């Protein structure tokens, strides 16, 4: 009699399915990203690293998970781009910090790590590497577990769906999201990119929060920012660290000519430049250019600008036009966007720098590098956004009202011109009231800042107690607001039509008549608005956030008091 593996539960099978779908989606996304960045065009830029100094690493005994009395055997950490997964697997804790200066290839390495690890997945139970931009994390307000879950739910909406825990009551408040279950069951390997992009005052709390976890991860940072945080707290627990090294002249000989058009049978536009760097290494121009081309970022810029365009010669980089390395770097940065868009129409090329500048200022105002589409509207001043919302709402309601009333008056026998005049007057008053109402509501309720859009999830029956309370609250608000809007709109409409008409009614008569019309119209308006507003409470999913004191599975249960969090 043979014994096989125990049958997998439906819960495990569902986890496998979610992990596989996520892996497939990420593989497609990052392959396209690699193609857009031309990382392998035609060959990958050389990215190499060496072991970092001991001051930015934890004890080797912790990194190697050595029991008491057993001496650690540090693994070899040095490597190059296509070895990043093997180096990560050599580390028993599976926790690695990648340090490097700006443009040294940290993000490129993180991207290659994700793609190689996705390609190496042999089982649905293998963790899925996911890149998280740390710039949006505030460790003083959001736990690491909650933030990781929120990022997964935001970027992969399918994972925001609820899933009941095995053996738990099937209630909406207790059920976890698919993203939570993937994290809680070790199906996610976080690739935390840009520790240095966290505001300086939050880096120490962020490092402390990361130290409260033992999950496998890969973290990238500029060396200065990470070293400063380590001095204020301690190195990332159980994590080894490597540091990216600068490119050498032999690396330039290897990658620049192969990605450049030929100017003769066996030469390219870069050959004279590289020959000058080898023969005259102490020349001021050679020193400037060699210094600039030490990082993959600058090599990529130079290759993009000078490798394909026949009217551009990289020899200009060795002229006296540039007096410092800063001037040379600014030159490459300034010409990158025009080069990328050189084949687009002139009008489009002119607009691109202004649009990108607008986005850059927007991110600078928000003090983040994480671009979210729903925050783009907040780049405008609050008063301008309020006016635009009111104008658009007023034009939409006024135009529809004008057309409907024009047709109604014409059909009732008032004539084409007379019907148009009455329709325009009615549309003007109705549009003004609508625009004013919508503008005020937006400015007072939603104009303070950008709000993340909520996800809709239809419930045919049931619902939580909180949802029912919110339904009643929104119904009451909608009834009052809708009634006030309907009453005011029809009162103003009656006054406008009465005062501009030939009948000559007095103001008090018009007010009395308009109030009666407003009361009759306000009731259906209030009912319609109230039910619509209350329906949003039914469609919105309940909050999945947990109390700050709730323990999560990304914490080591025996290393801290039970109340500690990630």
């Amino acid at each position: 009699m043979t014994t096989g593996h125990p049958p997998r539960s439906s819960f495990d099978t569902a986890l496998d399915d979610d992990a596989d779908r996520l892996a497939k989606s990420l593989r497609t996304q990052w392959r396209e990203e690699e193609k857009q960045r031309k990382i392998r065009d035609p060959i990958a830029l050389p990215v190499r690293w060496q072991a970092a100094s001991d001051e930015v690493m934890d004890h080797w005994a912790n990194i190697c998970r050595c029991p008491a009395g057993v001496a650690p055997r540090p693994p070899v950490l040095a490597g190059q781009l296509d070895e990043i997964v093997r180096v990560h697997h050599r580390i028993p804790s599976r926790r690695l910090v990648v340090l490097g200066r700006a443009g040294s290839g940290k993000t490129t390495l993180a991207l290659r790590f994700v793609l190689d690890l996705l390609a190496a997945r042999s089982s649905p139970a293998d963790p899925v590497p996911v890149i998280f931009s740390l710039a949006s994390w505030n460790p003083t307000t959001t736990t690491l577990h909650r933030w990781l879950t929120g990022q997964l739910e935001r970027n992969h909406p399918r994972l925001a769906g609820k899933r009941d825990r095995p053996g738990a009551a099937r209630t909406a408040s207790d059920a976890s999201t698919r993203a939570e279950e993937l994290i809680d069951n070790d199906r996610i390997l976080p690739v935390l990119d840009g520790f240095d992009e966290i505001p300086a005052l939050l880096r120490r709390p962020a490092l402390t929060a990361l130290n409260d976890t033992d999950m496998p991860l890969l973290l990238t940072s500029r060396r200065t920012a990470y070293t400063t945080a380590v001095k204020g707290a301690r190195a990332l627990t159980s994590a080894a660290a490597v540091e990216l090294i600068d490119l050498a002249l032999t690396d330039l000989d290897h990658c620049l000519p192969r990605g450049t058009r030929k100017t003769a049978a066996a030469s390219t536009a870069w050959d004279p430049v590289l020959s000058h760097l080898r023969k005259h290494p102490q020349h001021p121009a050679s020193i400037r250019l060699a210094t600039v081309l030490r990082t993959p970022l600058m090599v990529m810029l130079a290759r993009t600008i000078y490798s394909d365009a026949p009217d551009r010669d990289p020899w200009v980089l060795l002229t006296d036009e540039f007096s410092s390395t800063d001037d040379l770097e600014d030159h490459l940065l300034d010409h990158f966007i025009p080069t990328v868009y050189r084949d687009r129409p002139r009008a489009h090329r002119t607009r691109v720098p202004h649009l990108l500048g607008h986005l850059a200022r927007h991110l600078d105002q928000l003090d983040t590098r994480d671009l979210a589409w729903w925050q783009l509207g907040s780049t405008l001043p609050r008063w301008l956004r309020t006016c635009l919302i009111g104008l658009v709402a007023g034009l939409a309601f006024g135009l529809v009202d004008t057309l409907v009333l024009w047709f109604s008056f014409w059909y009732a026998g008032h004539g084409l011109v007379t019907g148009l005049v009455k329709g325009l007057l009615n549309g003007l008053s109705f549009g003004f009231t609508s625009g004013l109402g919508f503008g005020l509501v937006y400015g007072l309720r939603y104009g303070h800042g950008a709000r993340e859009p909520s996800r809709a999830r239809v419930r045919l029956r049931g619902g939580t107690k909180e949802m029912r309370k919110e339904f009643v609250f929104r119904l009451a608000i909608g009834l009052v607001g809708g009634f006030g809007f309907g009453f005011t709109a029809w009162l103003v409409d009656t006054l406008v039509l009465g005062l501009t008409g030939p009948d000559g009614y007095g103001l008090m008569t018009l007010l009395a008549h308009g109030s009666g019309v407003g009361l009759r119209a306000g009731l259906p308006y209030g009912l319609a608005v109230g039910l619509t507003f209350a329906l949003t409470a039914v469609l919105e999913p309940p909050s999945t956030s947990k109390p700050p004191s709730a323990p999560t599975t990304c914490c080591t249960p025996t290393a801290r008091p039970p109340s500690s969090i990630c």
Side-chain angles (χ1 to χ4, degrees), residues 187-227:
R187 300 299 184 90
I188 300 297
L189 193 156
V191 180
L192 306 175
D193 189 30
F195 179 83
D196 54 282
E197 295 177 7
I198 300 177
L201 293 177
L202 298 180
R203 290 172 192 159
R204 181 178 176 181
L207 189 55
T208 301
L210 290 171
N211 283 337
D212 286 340
T213 75
D214 64 351
M215 65 169 63
L217 56 80
L218 184 143
L219 181 142
T220 72
S221 176
R222 295 187 186 183
R223 178 182 174 85
T224 303
Y226 182 75
T227 303

mmCIF file of all heavy atoms in Angstrom, residues 187-227:
data_model
loop_
_atom_site.group_PDB
_atom_site.id
_atom_site.type_symbol
_atom_site.label_atom_id
_atom_site.label_comp_id
_atom_site.label_asym_id
_atom_site.label_seq_id
_atom_site.Cartn_x
_atom_site.Cartn_y
_atom_site.Cartn_z
ATOM 1 N N ARG A 187 2.892 33.638 0.107
ATOM 2 C CA ARG A 187 2.878 33.496 -1.343
ATOM 3 C C ARG A 187 3.419 34.737 -2.051
ATOM 4 O O ARG A 187 3.450 34.763 -3.283
ATOM 5 C CB ARG A 187 1.450 33.215 -1.844
ATOM 6 C CG ARG A 187 0.834 31.952 -1.270
ATOM 7 C CD ARG A 187 1.632 30.714 -1.650
ATOM 8 N NE ARG A 187 0.998 29.496 -1.190
ATOM 9 C CZ ARG A 187 0.121 28.797 -1.881
ATOM 10 N NH1 ARG A 187 -0.200 29.191 -3.104
ATOM 11 N NH2 ARG A 187 -0.411 27.705 -1.370
ATOM 12 N N ILE A 188 3.832 35.749 -1.286
ATOM 13 C CA ILE A 188 4.362 36.989 -1.863
ATOM 14 C C ILE A 188 5.777 37.209 -1.348
ATOM 15 O O ILE A 188 6.030 37.106 -0.142
ATOM 16 C CB ILE A 188 3.480 38.212 -1.501
ATOM 17 C CG1 ILE A 188 2.063 38.022 -2.038
ATOM 18 C CG2 ILE A 188 4.078 39.490 -2.057
ATOM 19 C CD1 ILE A 188 1.968 37.945 -3.548
ATOM 20 N N LEU A 189 6.703 37.513 -2.263
ATOM 21 C CA LEU A 189 8.057 37.913 -1.885
ATOM 22 C C LEU A 189 8.200 39.396 -2.237
ATOM 23 O O LEU A 189 8.317 39.749 -3.408
ATOM 24 C CB LEU A 189 9.103 37.076 -2.620
ATOM 25 C CG LEU A 189 10.538 37.175 -2.083
ATOM 26 C CD1 LEU A 189 11.331 35.921 -2.449
ATOM 27 C CD2 LEU A 189 11.282 38.397 -2.610
ATOM 28 N N PRO A 190 8.183 40.281 -1.234
ATOM 29 C CA PRO A 190 8.232 41.719 -1.527
ATOM 30 C C PRO A 190 9.602 42.140 -2.065
ATOM 31 O O PRO A 190 10.646 41.792 -1.493
ATOM 32 C CB PRO A 190 7.955 42.379 -0.173
ATOM 33 C CG PRO A 190 7.380 41.292 0.686
ATOM 34 C CD PRO A 190 7.990 40.020 0.200
ATOM 35 N N VAL A 191 9.594 42.887 -3.156
ATOM 36 C CA VAL A 191 10.784 43.546 -3.682
ATOM 37 C C VAL A 191 10.578 45.034 -3.417
ATOM 38 O O VAL A 191 9.855 45.716 -4.141
ATOM 39 C CB VAL A 191 10.973 43.263 -5.186
ATOM 40 C CG1 VAL A 191 12.221 43.957 -5.711
ATOM 41 C CG2 VAL A 191 11.055 41.760 -5.433
ATOM 42 N N LEU A 192 11.175 45.534 -2.351
ATOM 43 C CA LEU A 192 10.928 46.889 -1.852
ATOM 44 C C LEU A 192 11.926 47.838 -2.501
ATOM 45 O O LEU A 192 13.091 47.901 -2.107
ATOM 46 C CB LEU A 192 11.039 46.911 -0.325
ATOM 47 C CG LEU A 192 10.158 45.881 0.406
ATOM 48 C CD1 LEU A 192 10.427 45.911 1.897
ATOM 49 C CD2 LEU A 192 8.688 46.126 0.114
ATOM 50 N N ASP A 193 11.453 48.587 -3.477
ATOM 51 C CA ASP A 193 12.325 49.435 -4.279
ATOM 52 C C ASP A 193 12.289 50.880 -3.780
ATOM 53 O O ASP A 193 11.215 51.459 -3.624
ATOM 54 C CB ASP A 193 11.887 49.376 -5.749
ATOM 55 C CG ASP A 193 12.875 50.068 -6.676
ATOM 56 O OD1 ASP A 193 14.079 50.085 -6.357
ATOM 57 O OD2 ASP A 193 12.447 50.605 -7.704
ATOM 58 N N GLY A 194 13.456 51.459 -3.530
ATOM 59 C CA GLY A 194 13.543 52.873 -3.213
ATOM 60 C C GLY A 194 13.381 53.218 -1.748
ATOM 61 O O GLY A 194 12.586 54.098 -1.400
ATOM 62 N N PHE A 195 14.138 52.562 -0.866
ATOM 63 C CA PHE A 195 14.099 52.948 0.551
ATOM 64 C C PHE A 195 14.485 54.407 0.727
ATOM 65 O O PHE A 195 13.976 55.096 1.617
ATOM 66 C CB PHE A 195 15.042 52.036 1.341
ATOM 67 C CG PHE A 195 15.112 52.333 2.811
ATOM 68 C CD1 PHE A 195 14.158 51.837 3.681
ATOM 69 C CD2 PHE A 195 16.129 53.131 3.324
ATOM 70 C CE1 PHE A 195 14.225 52.115 5.037
ATOM 71 C CE2 PHE A 195 16.202 53.416 4.677
ATOM 72 C CZ PHE A 195 15.243 52.912 5.535
ATOM 73 N N ASP A 196 15.391 54.910 -0.104
ATOM 74 C CA ASP A 196 15.834 56.296 -0.006
ATOM 75 C C ASP A 196 14.743 57.281 -0.413
ATOM 76 O O ASP A 196 14.855 58.486 -0.128
ATOM 77 C CB ASP A 196 17.065 56.517 -0.894
ATOM 78 C CG ASP A 196 16.823 56.081 -2.327
ATOM 79 O OD1 ASP A 196 16.863 54.861 -2.596
ATOM 80 O OD2 ASP A 196 16.589 56.938 -3.187
ATOM 81 N N GLU A 197 13.679 56.806 -1.089
ATOM 82 C CA GLU A 197 12.599 57.699 -1.497
ATOM 83 C C GLU A 197 11.589 57.942 -0.382
ATOM 84 O O GLU A 197 10.706 58.787 -0.512
ATOM 85 C CB GLU A 197 11.898 57.129 -2.730
ATOM 86 C CG GLU A 197 12.805 57.076 -3.955
ATOM 87 C CD GLU A 197 12.133 56.442 -5.154
ATOM 88 O OE1 GLU A 197 10.922 56.166 -5.057
ATOM 89 O OE2 GLU A 197 12.803 56.225 -6.178
ATOM 90 N N ILE A 198 11.707 57.205 0.715
ATOM 91 C CA ILE A 198 10.908 57.510 1.902
ATOM 92 C C ILE A 198 11.429 58.804 2.508
ATOM 93 O O ILE A 198 12.646 59.014 2.571
ATOM 94 C CB ILE A 198 11.003 56.368 2.927
ATOM 95 C CG1 ILE A 198 10.484 55.062 2.332
ATOM 96 C CG2 ILE A 198 10.250 56.708 4.199
ATOM 97 C CD1 ILE A 198 10.615 53.878 3.266
ATOM 98 N N PRO A 199 10.569 59.731 2.926
ATOM 99 C CA PRO A 199 11.063 60.952 3.567
ATOM 100 C C PRO A 199 12.042 60.636 4.692
ATOM 101 O O PRO A 199 11.891 59.642 5.415
ATOM 102 C CB PRO A 199 9.780 61.620 4.086
ATOM 103 C CG PRO A 199 8.712 61.146 3.157
ATOM 104 C CD PRO A 199 9.096 59.739 2.785
ATOM 105 N N ALA A 200 13.053 61.490 4.849
ATOM 106 C CA ALA A 200 14.160 61.212 5.774
ATOM 107 C C ALA A 200 13.676 60.932 7.196
ATOM 108 O O ALA A 200 14.214 60.040 7.873
ATOM 109 C CB ALA A 200 15.132 62.393 5.763
ATOM 110 N N LEU A 201 12.658 61.664 7.663
ATOM 111 C CA LEU A 201 12.190 61.481 9.030
ATOM 112 C C LEU A 201 11.482 60.134 9.230
ATOM 113 O O LEU A 201 11.301 59.693 10.376
ATOM 114 C CB LEU A 201 11.247 62.625 9.419
ATOM 115 C CG LEU A 201 11.880 64.016 9.527
ATOM 116 C CD1 LEU A 201 10.817 65.058 9.850
ATOM 117 C CD2 LEU A 201 12.971 64.029 10.592
ATOM 118 N N LEU A 202 11.069 59.483 8.145
ATOM 119 C CA LEU A 202 10.337 58.227 8.256
ATOM 120 C C LEU A 202 11.213 57.001 8.008
ATOM 121 O O LEU A 202 10.742 55.874 8.133
ATOM 122 C CB LEU A 202 9.170 58.219 7.250
ATOM 123 C CG LEU A 202 8.096 59.292 7.430
ATOM 124 C CD1 LEU A 202 7.023 59.153 6.359
ATOM 125 C CD2 LEU A 202 7.470 59.207 8.815
ATOM 126 N N ARG A 203 12.479 57.206 7.650
ATOM 127 C CA ARG A 203 13.321 56.049 7.311
ATOM 128 C C ARG A 203 13.639 55.200 8.535
ATOM 129 O O ARG A 203 13.649 53.969 8.454
ATOM 130 C CB ARG A 203 14.615 56.519 6.644
ATOM 131 C CG ARG A 203 14.401 57.088 5.249
ATOM 132 C CD ARG A 203 15.652 57.714 4.685
ATOM 133 N NE ARG A 203 15.354 58.485 3.485
ATOM 134 C CZ ARG A 203 16.120 59.446 3.013
ATOM 135 N NH1 ARG A 203 17.257 59.753 3.644
ATOM 136 N NH2 ARG A 203 15.775 60.105 1.924
ATOM 137 N N ARG A 204 13.897 55.844 9.658
ATOM 138 C CA ARG A 204 14.179 55.060 10.864
ATOM 139 C C ARG A 204 12.966 54.249 11.302
ATOM 140 O O ARG A 204 13.091 53.045 11.564
ATOM 141 C CB ARG A 204 14.656 55.980 11.982
ATOM 142 C CG ARG A 204 14.986 55.245 13.276
ATOM 143 C CD ARG A 204 15.499 56.193 14.346
ATOM 144 N NE ARG A 204 15.725 55.518 15.607
ATOM 145 C CZ ARG A 204 16.156 56.114 16.704
ATOM 146 N NH1 ARG A 204 16.420 57.418 16.675
ATOM 147 N NH2 ARG A 204 16.324 55.434 17.815
ATOM 148 N N PRO A 205 11.749 54.845 11.376
ATOM 149 C CA PRO A 205 10.570 54.011 11.690
ATOM 150 C C PRO A 205 10.338 52.915 10.652
ATOM 151 O O PRO A 205 9.895 51.819 11.000
ATOM 152 C CB PRO A 205 9.418 55.019 11.717
ATOM 153 C CG PRO A 205 10.054 56.336 11.979
ATOM 154 C CD PRO A 205 11.405 56.279 11.336
ATOM 155 N N ALA A 206 10.634 53.211 9.385
ATOM 156 C CA ALA A 206 10.454 52.187 8.348
ATOM 157 C C ALA A 206 11.397 51.023 8.570
ATOM 158 O O ALA A 206 10.994 49.849 8.466
ATOM 159 C CB ALA A 206 10.672 52.808 6.969
ATOM 160 N N LEU A 207 12.649 51.320 8.881
ATOM 161 C CA LEU A 207 13.619 50.250 9.122
ATOM 162 C C LEU A 207 13.251 49.452 10.371
ATOM 163 O O LEU A 207 13.394 48.224 10.409
ATOM 164 C CB LEU A 207 15.020 50.838 9.250
ATOM 165 C CG LEU A 207 16.180 49.840 9.296
ATOM 166 C CD1 LEU A 207 16.159 48.922 8.088
ATOM 167 C CD2 LEU A 207 17.516 50.581 9.374
ATOM 168 N N THR A 208 12.748 50.136 11.384
ATOM 169 C CA THR A 208 12.312 49.437 12.593
ATOM 170 C C THR A 208 11.150 48.489 12.287
ATOM 171 O O THR A 208 11.104 47.358 12.778
ATOM 172 C CB THR A 208 11.890 50.457 13.666
ATOM 173 O OG1 THR A 208 12.998 51.311 13.974
ATOM 174 C CG2 THR A 208 11.431 49.761 14.935
ATOM 175 N N ALA A 209 10.213 48.962 11.457
ATOM 176 C CA ALA A 209 9.081 48.107 11.087
ATOM 177 C C ALA A 209 9.544 46.910 10.268
ATOM 178 O O ALA A 209 9.048 45.788 10.449
ATOM 179 C CB ALA A 209 8.052 48.920 10.305
ATOM 180 N N LEU A 210 10.496 47.115 9.375
ATOM 181 C CA LEU A 210 11.029 46.001 8.587
ATOM 182 C C LEU A 210 11.779 45.012 9.474
ATOM 183 O O LEU A 210 11.766 43.801 9.219
ATOM 184 C CB LEU A 210 11.953 46.531 7.494
ATOM 185 C CG LEU A 210 11.280 47.289 6.351
ATOM 186 C CD1 LEU A 210 12.329 47.953 5.455
ATOM 187 C CD2 LEU A 210 10.426 46.348 5.521
ATOM 188 N N ASN A 211 12.422 45.505 10.519
ATOM 189 C CA ASN A 211 13.135 44.625 11.437
ATOM 190 C C ASN A 211 12.191 43.757 12.257
ATOM 191 O O ASN A 211 12.607 42.746 12.835
ATOM 192 C CB ASN A 211 14.024 45.442 12.378
ATOM 193 C CG ASN A 211 15.285 45.923 11.695
ATOM 194 O OD1 ASN A 211 15.725 45.344 10.709
ATOM 195 N ND2 ASN A 211 15.877 46.992 12.215
ATOM 196 N N ASP A 212 10.930 44.149 12.339
ATOM 197 C CA ASP A 212 9.955 43.353 13.078
ATOM 198 C C ASP A 212 9.389 42.207 12.246
ATOM 199 O O ASP A 212 8.457 41.530 12.675
ATOM 200 C CB ASP A 212 8.797 44.247 13.556
ATOM 201 C CG ASP A 212 9.209 45.138 14.711
ATOM 202 O OD1 ASP A 212 10.213 44.800 15.372
ATOM 203 O OD2 ASP A 212 8.551 46.158 14.941
ATOM 204 N N THR A 213 9.904 42.001 11.049
ATOM 205 C CA THR A 213 9.455 40.910 10.192
ATOM 206 C C THR A 213 10.618 39.965 9.930
ATOM 207 O O THR A 213 11.786 40.323 10.110
ATOM 208 C CB THR A 213 8.936 41.438 8.841
ATOM 209 O OG1 THR A 213 10.045 41.838 8.029
ATOM 210 C CG2 THR A 213 8.013 42.628 9.033
ATOM 211 N N ASP A 214 10.292 38.771 9.495
ATOM 212 C CA ASP A 214 11.327 37.832 9.074
ATOM 213 C C ASP A 214 11.037 37.291 7.674
ATOM 214 O O ASP A 214 11.606 36.290 7.265
ATOM 215 C CB ASP A 214 11.472 36.685 10.075
ATOM 216 C CG ASP A 214 10.214 35.837 10.164
ATOM 217 O OD1 ASP A 214 9.184 36.239 9.573
ATOM 218 O OD2 ASP A 214 10.248 34.775 10.814
ATOM 219 N N MET A 215 10.119 37.918 6.949
ATOM 220 C CA MET A 215 9.763 37.444 5.615
ATOM 221 C C MET A 215 10.922 37.638 4.640
ATOM 222 O O MET A 215 11.680 38.618 4.742
ATOM 223 C CB MET A 215 8.531 38.195 5.089
ATOM 224 C CG MET A 215 8.758 39.681 4.865
ATOM 225 S SD MET A 215 7.415 40.477 3.960
ATOM 226 C CE MET A 215 6.063 40.229 5.090
ATOM 227 N N PRO A 216 11.113 36.729 3.700
ATOM 228 C CA PRO A 216 12.105 36.940 2.646
ATOM 229 C C PRO A 216 11.766 38.190 1.850
ATOM 230 O O PRO A 216 10.594 38.499 1.607
ATOM 231 C CB PRO A 216 11.982 35.680 1.786
ATOM 232 C CG PRO A 216 11.373 34.662 2.681
ATOM 233 C CD PRO A 216 10.460 35.419 3.598
ATOM 234 N N LEU A 217 12.806 38.929 1.440
ATOM 235 C CA LEU A 217 12.578 40.149 0.697
ATOM 236 C C LEU A 217 13.858 40.587 0.012
ATOM 237 O O LEU A 217 14.943 40.070 0.278
ATOM 238 C CB LEU A 217 12.049 41.267 1.606
ATOM 239 C CG LEU A 217 12.866 41.667 2.856
ATOM 240 C CD1 LEU A 217 14.023 42.592 2.507
ATOM 241 C CD2 LEU A 217 11.969 42.333 3.879
ATOM 242 N N LEU A 218 13.712 41.541 -0.875
ATOM 243 C CA LEU A 218 14.846 42.242 -1.463
ATOM 244 C C LEU A 218 14.544 43.731 -1.383
ATOM 245 O O LEU A 218 13.440 44.161 -1.754
ATOM 246 C CB LEU A 218 15.067 41.820 -2.923
ATOM 247 C CG LEU A 218 16.303 42.418 -3.618
ATOM 248 C CD1 LEU A 218 16.950 41.382 -4.550
ATOM 249 C CD2 LEU A 218 15.939 43.657 -4.444
ATOM 250 N N LEU A 219 15.495 44.502 -0.855
ATOM 251 C CA LEU A 219 15.304 45.931 -0.637
ATOM 252 C C LEU A 219 16.405 46.696 -1.349
ATOM 253 O O LEU A 219 17.587 46.323 -1.264
ATOM 254 C CB LEU A 219 15.294 46.247 0.852
ATOM 255 C CG LEU A 219 15.082 47.702 1.274
ATOM 256 C CD1 LEU A 219 14.220 47.773 2.524
ATOM 257 C CD2 LEU A 219 16.409 48.410 1.541
ATOM 258 N N THR A 220 16.049 47.769 -2.057
ATOM 259 C CA THR A 220 17.041 48.607 -2.731
ATOM 260 C C THR A 220 17.053 49.997 -2.109
ATOM 261 O O THR A 220 16.023 50.497 -1.644
ATOM 262 C CB THR A 220 16.745 48.740 -4.237
ATOM 263 O OG1 THR A 220 15.587 49.571 -4.434
ATOM 264 C CG2 THR A 220 16.506 47.379 -4.871
ATOM 265 N N SER A 221 18.226 50.619 -2.098
ATOM 266 C CA SER A 221 18.361 51.953 -1.513
ATOM 267 C C SER A 221 19.680 52.575 -1.946
ATOM 268 O O SER A 221 20.637 51.862 -2.278
ATOM 269 C CB SER A 221 18.311 51.885 0.017
ATOM 270 O OG SER A 221 18.522 53.165 0.603
ATOM 271 N N ARG A 222 19.715 53.895 -1.934
ATOM 272 C CA ARG A 222 21.005 54.575 -2.028
ATOM 273 C C ARG A 222 21.765 54.335 -0.724
ATOM 274 O O ARG A 222 21.178 54.308 0.357
ATOM 275 C CB ARG A 222 20.816 56.067 -2.263
ATOM 276 C CG ARG A 222 20.156 56.405 -3.605
ATOM 277 C CD ARG A 222 20.141 57.892 -3.861
ATOM 278 N NE ARG A 222 19.383 58.218 -5.059
ATOM 279 C CZ ARG A 222 19.252 59.446 -5.566
ATOM 280 N NH1 ARG A 222 19.836 60.472 -4.945
ATOM 281 N NH2 ARG A 222 18.539 59.647 -6.657
ATOM 282 N N ARG A 223 23.057 54.198 -0.866
ATOM 283 C CA ARG A 223 23.865 53.813 0.293
ATOM 284 C C ARG A 223 23.763 54.845 1.419
ATOM 285 O O ARG A 223 23.608 54.482 2.596
ATOM 286 C CB ARG A 223 25.330 53.638 -0.113
ATOM 287 C CG ARG A 223 26.222 53.283 1.063
ATOM 288 C CD ARG A 223 27.677 53.153 0.700
ATOM 289 N NE ARG A 223 28.478 52.958 1.899
ATOM 290 C CZ ARG A 223 28.707 51.797 2.480
ATOM 291 N NH1 ARG A 223 28.183 50.693 1.971
ATOM 292 N NH2 ARG A 223 29.444 51.692 3.574
ATOM 293 N N THR A 224 23.847 56.131 1.095
ATOM 294 C CA THR A 224 23.861 57.163 2.137
ATOM 295 C C THR A 224 22.593 57.127 2.974
ATOM 296 O O THR A 224 22.643 57.173 4.212
ATOM 297 C CB THR A 224 24.043 58.548 1.506
ATOM 298 O OG1 THR A 224 25.241 58.571 0.729
ATOM 299 C CG2 THR A 224 24.116 59.622 2.579
ATOM 300 N N ALA A 225 21.433 57.028 2.313
ATOM 301 C CA ALA A 225 20.166 57.026 3.035
ATOM 302 C C ALA A 225 20.048 55.806 3.938
ATOM 303 O O ALA A 225 19.621 55.913 5.100
ATOM 304 C CB ALA A 225 19.003 57.069 2.047
ATOM 305 N N TYR A 226 20.455 54.644 3.421
ATOM 306 C CA TYR A 226 20.336 53.422 4.221
ATOM 307 C C TYR A 226 21.327 53.435 5.385
ATOM 308 O O TYR A 226 20.980 53.054 6.517
ATOM 309 C CB TYR A 226 20.566 52.196 3.338
ATOM 310 C CG TYR A 226 20.408 50.885 4.062
ATOM 311 C CD1 TYR A 226 19.148 50.404 4.388
ATOM 312 C CD2 TYR A 226 21.518 50.136 4.440
ATOM 313 C CE1 TYR A 226 18.995 49.194 5.062
ATOM 314 C CE2 TYR A 226 21.386 48.933 5.118
ATOM 315 C CZ TYR A 226 20.121 48.471 5.421
ATOM 316 O OH TYR A 226 19.966 47.286 6.093
ATOM 317 N N THR A 227 22.564 53.873 5.134
ATOM 318 C CA THR A 227 23.576 53.917 6.193
ATOM 319 C C THR A 227 23.146 54.837 7.325
ATOM 320 O O THR A 227 23.307 54.523 8.510
ATOM 321 C CB THR A 227 24.928 54.372 5.619
ATOM 322 O OG1 THR A 227 25.316 53.494 4.558
ATOM 323 C CG2 THR A 227 25.993 54.368 6.684
#
